[in-house]
Amino acid sequence: MIERETVAVTGFGPFRQFLENPSWKAAQGLKSAGLGNRIDVYIKEVPVTYVKTQKIIEELWRTVNPKFAVHLGVARGSSAVILEQTGKNSGYRDRDVCGFCPENHCCVEGGPEKLDSVINMRAVSKFFKQSGMDVIYSRDAGRYLCDFAYYLSLYHGQRKAVFIHVPSSGSLASADRLVPLLLTLIQTMLQQLEGPSETA
């Protein structure tokens, strides 16, 4: 019998003008499409609050303990998919939807200033860009809930996590264009995760 593995996918809840957040819609689309026979897709909606985000991300790694976590957030005003390499620990001064910001403006007291995903996002973005896809590499997830969730996941999940900003405008903003691209991106990342560099 084939052993099944879990990939966790999170999207954010309502935020400003997004009554239905495109990132959560994309997460639901990924769950419906699936990632093949060997992989269970676990999805979770994350409210745009620091306290709940922290609780959900910590619980995700403690109870679900996925092989890999994919966090989705919306990039306002962007028409491209943005692959984030790095999560940052400090500088969280913008208030969440409840009007709060984290104590000491950081994710983890005494944690490293920044953490990088085990996935080489530059290589992934380059591969897709060469195929004519609107995929961009970034090292700045924005020091808001996206960056906060990403850092916590990298910290608790031994860096086996990625953050993808999905577009809010343009042709890729439609779920039927976005979900197939996200599926291919995630499959490429999983191949990299299982690749020779893992044993090097």
Side-chain angles (χ1 to χ4, degrees):
M1 199 172 129
I2 299 168
E3 197 180 322
R4 297 176 72 82
E5 294 176 307
T6 300
V7 169
V9 181
T10 69
F12 281 102
F15 171 63
R16 292 185 188 158
Q17 76 266 38
F18 302 109
L19 298 178
E20 186 182 24
N21 197 309
S23 65
W24 176 236
K25 213 170 160 183
Q28 291 171 305
L30 287 169
K31 171 81 174 167
S32 301
L35 281 163
N37 299 331
R38 282 180 48 239
I39 294 175
D40 289 322
V41 179
Y42 169 90
I43 62 170
K44 184 77 180 171
E45 186 177 24
V46 180
V48 184
T49 76
Y50 291 108
V51 172
K52 287 182 180 168
T53 295
Q54 184 163 11
K55 190 167 179 266
I56 286 168
I57 300 295
E58 286 173 2
E59 270 177 16
L60 176 75
W61 285 106
R62 195 172 59 246
T63 60
V64 180
N65 194 21
K67 172 192 177 72
F68 187 57
V70 178
H71 305 286
L72 305 174
V74 66
R76 284 185 299 156
S78 172
S79 60
V81 168
I82 305 167
L83 307 183
E84 302 291 350
Q85 185 69 62
T86 307
K88 303 209 176 55
N89 191 19
S90 61
Y92 294 91
R93 298 182 185 284
D94 289 338
R95 296 179 185 279
D96 63 20
V97 294
C98 297
F100 294 107
C101 54
E103 209 177 313
N104 300 323
H105 309 290
C106 79
C107 304
V108 178
E109 281 284 341
E113 182 43 44
K114 56 181 192 175
L115 290 170
D116 283 348
S117 172
V118 293
I119 299 298
N120 182 340
M121 299 292 250
R122 191 189 293 278
V124 176
S125 69
K126 195 174 173 186
F127 175 77
F128 279 83
K129 236 186 162 100
Q130 284 167 347
S131 312
M133 304 306 287
D134 214 354
V135 176
I136 294 169
Y137 169 82
S138 162
R139 293 189 69 91
D140 182 5
R143 281 195 168 88
Y144 191 48
L145 267 297
C146 295
D147 214 341
F148 187 77
Y150 192 21
Y151 182 91
L152 286 170
S153 193
L154 292 167
Y155 183 84
H156 292 289
Q158 285 77 52
R159 299 171 39 235
K160 290 184 295 189
V162 292
F163 197 99
I164 303 174
H165 267 120
V166 301
S168 60
S169 59
S171 63
L172 280 175
S174 78
D176 41 345
R177 289 284 306 279
L178 180 61
V179 171
L181 173 57
L182 289 174
L183 280 171
T184 316
L185 280 164
I186 294 165
Q187 279 155 350
T188 304
M189 291 168 186
L190 286 169
Q191 282 165 9
Q192 196 189 106
L193 192 66
E194 290 162 0
S197 60
E198 202 184 28
T199 53

